[in-house]
Amino acid sequence: MSDVNTMRAISQDTLGGPEVLREVRRERPEPRPNEVLVRVRAAGVNPTDWKHRANGGFLGEPPFVLGWDVSGVVEAVGVGVAAFRPGDEVFGMLSYPFGHGSHAEYVTAPARTFTHKPAGIDHVQAGALPLVSLTAWQALVERAGLREGQRVLIHAAAGGVGHVAVQIAKARGAYVIGTASAGKHEFLRSLGADETVDYRDTDITEAVKDVDVVLDTIGGETSLRSLRVLRPGGIVVSILPVGSDAFFEEAERLGVRAVRMLVDADRADMREIAGLVESGRLRATVEKTFPLADAAQAHELGETGRTTGKLVLVVD
Ligand SMILES: NC(=O)c1ccc[n+]([C@@H]2O[C@H](COP(=O)([O-])OP(=O)(O)OC[C@H]3O[C@@H](n4cnc5c(N)ncnc54)[C@H](OP(=O)(O)O)[C@@H]3O)[C@@H](O)[C@H]2O)c1
């Protein structure tokens, strides 16, 4: 393979810690009909990346290239693609979970995966947004039907999903309560949160009540406790595996709703997200960027579970 037909990618041959990640050369993909080839400029790193790296998850046994977030430039288009031309700047989330592979110099995906990148943000911002924004949008708007004036509780509001969820909820006119350790409360207020709760020393079931919608980004006991802050008919949308039927049984007993969700690639939702960015109502906070070759360091930092906003890989 000559260099012009190959690309750099972050791959792994075994499951394990960040040290299993290594840079490899792979054949550069060609766009098939209805696909585009995107030269990746930036790609967010998400908890699903380190979970798959460690336990294979939906993907099973390696080798595989992780990464679902993409911001980049269209390099070539396949037969039938009318929406984009080479040179267009685009962003999107690869089909979750089986479309993975953005932690590389190039990626191909159906054209419908992508939306034009808003001109007002750079690739690092755009690469940070897709997976977390689609998750927050689909949880709050599609599953919960969040409306103006409703009260919403967002767990881990300073994290990747949480910090965009706060902004999306505010853009819908909701009253937003966010949980984080106290040192991050100023950050939550800067995003628009109306109330903040330090989850480390406060019992959420005593501090918060009459909530219409909870976005549960923690799972386990937090999912169960969240049911008790709802008003009748309220809803907890959990984005974590719930693990037992207790969550659903308890919801029924309390007269509230409990749902689980998995993020799904969707062009119409990406356009809503691009619209929020263009109108200045949604921005990613990026704690740190890493060159593609340092993906292992990004995983290591992310896995601490203490990061604020997003981590992003930058591809030169
Ligand atoms: N189902 C889906 O489709 C889907 C989609 C996206 C994400 N997820 C999952 O959702 C979870 C969150 O994702 P993320 O990207 O937001 O993660 P993240 O960015 O790694 O979250 C980090 C944040 O979590 C906060 N945190 C940790 N424990 C907390 C607790 N007990 N209460 C409140 N805040 C806490 C930390 O704040 P402090 O430092 O203040 O503790 C930190 O700011 C992950 O498990 C991810 O896999 C699922």
Side-chain angles (χ1 to χ4, degrees):
M1 283 188 289
S2 77
D3 264 12
V4 83
N5 295 322
T6 66
M7 64 173 188
R8 293 183 297 129
I10 302 300
S11 186
Q12 61 187 94
D13 293 325
T14 55
L15 302 177
E19 70 284 353
V20 303
L21 297 175
R22 60 191 184 88
E23 194 178 292
V24 296
R25 287 209 85 85
R26 280 282 148 80
E27 198 169 342
R28 197 171 108 175
E30 297 276 343
R32 296 175 297 181
N34 284 330
E35 286 187 345
V36 295
L37 171 69
V38 173
R39 178 165 180 232
V40 181
R41 297 288 308 277
V45 181
N46 292 285
T48 191
D49 291 305
W50 54 83
K51 291 178 186 176
H52 278 91
R53 184 209 70 224
N55 62 32
F58 295 117
L59 306 182
E61 285 302 312
F64 44 64
V65 176
L66 294 169
W68 283 269
D69 280 328
V70 184
S71 182
V73 181
V74 173
E75 182 86 6
V77 301
V79 173
V81 174
F84 302 110
R85 286 182 304 193
D88 284 355
E89 297 191 299
V90 295
F91 75 140
M93 184 191 77
L94 302 178
S95 176
Y96 189 85
F98 299 115
H100 61 99
S102 67
H103 293 171
E105 286 181 306
Y106 293 90
V107 71
T108 51
R112 301 188 70 82
T113 307
F114 299 105
T115 304
H116 288 281
K117 177 179 81 60
I121 58 169
D122 63 15
H123 284 291
V124 169
Q125 273 277 323
L129 282 169
L131 188 145
V132 291
S133 306
L134 285 172
T135 303
W137 179 270
Q138 289 168 6
L140 295 175
V141 179
E142 291 184 357
R143 301 300 168 97
L146 184 66
R147 296 188 310 274
E148 187 172 355
Q150 287 191 318
R151 285 163 61 80
V152 57
L153 169 64
I154 296 168
H155 287 291
V161 174
H163 90 293
V164 298
V166 170
Q167 297 172 72
I168 290 171
K170 285 311 292 180
R172 302 214 40 106
Y175 181 90
V176 178
I177 306 158
T179 72
S181 52
K184 297 182 177 177
H185 287 188
E186 189 52 47
F187 172 60
L188 300 197
R189 280 190 286 273
S190 76
L191 300 171
D194 299 286
E195 258 178 64
T196 55
V197 176
D198 186 346
Y199 67 91
R200 295 174 310 177
D201 61 14
T202 310
D203 180 347
I204 197 80
T205 60
E206 284 171 15
V208 178
K209 60 180 184 187
D210 293 334
V211 167
D212 298 286
V213 176
V214 179
L215 174 53
D216 168 32
T217 56
I218 305 293
E221 191 58 25
T222 300
S223 310
L224 281 171
R225 297 172 80 75
S226 295
L227 295 168
R228 287 190 248 142
V229 310
L230 292 174
R231 52 170 55 132
I235 184 168
V236 174
V237 182
S238 181
I239 61 170
L240 270 299
V242 175
S244 79
D245 291 338
F247 178 52
F248 303 105
E249 288 164 4
E250 181 72 351
E252 203 170 329
R253 196 181 69 75
L254 293 168
V256 296
R257 291 172 294 155
V259 301
R260 277 186 61 192
M261 69 152 265
L262 198 58
V263 66
D264 200 5
D266 186 283
R267 180 191 247 174
D269 292 349
M270 275 306 296
R271 286 192 172 150
E272 297 280 357
I273 288 154
L276 287 172
V277 172
E278 277 155 8
S279 64
R281 288 177 293 174
L282 180 62
R283 282 283 180 279
T285 293
V286 177
E287 177 173 316
K288 197 162 180 198
T289 62
F290 298 83
L292 179 66
D294 293 345
Q297 288 171 33
H299 278 228
E300 206 170 317
L301 179 59
E303 262 179 304
T304 62
R306 298 273 86 85
T307 50
T308 299
K310 294 293 304 167
L311 304 176
V312 177
L313 299 180
V314 177
V315 188
D316 287 325

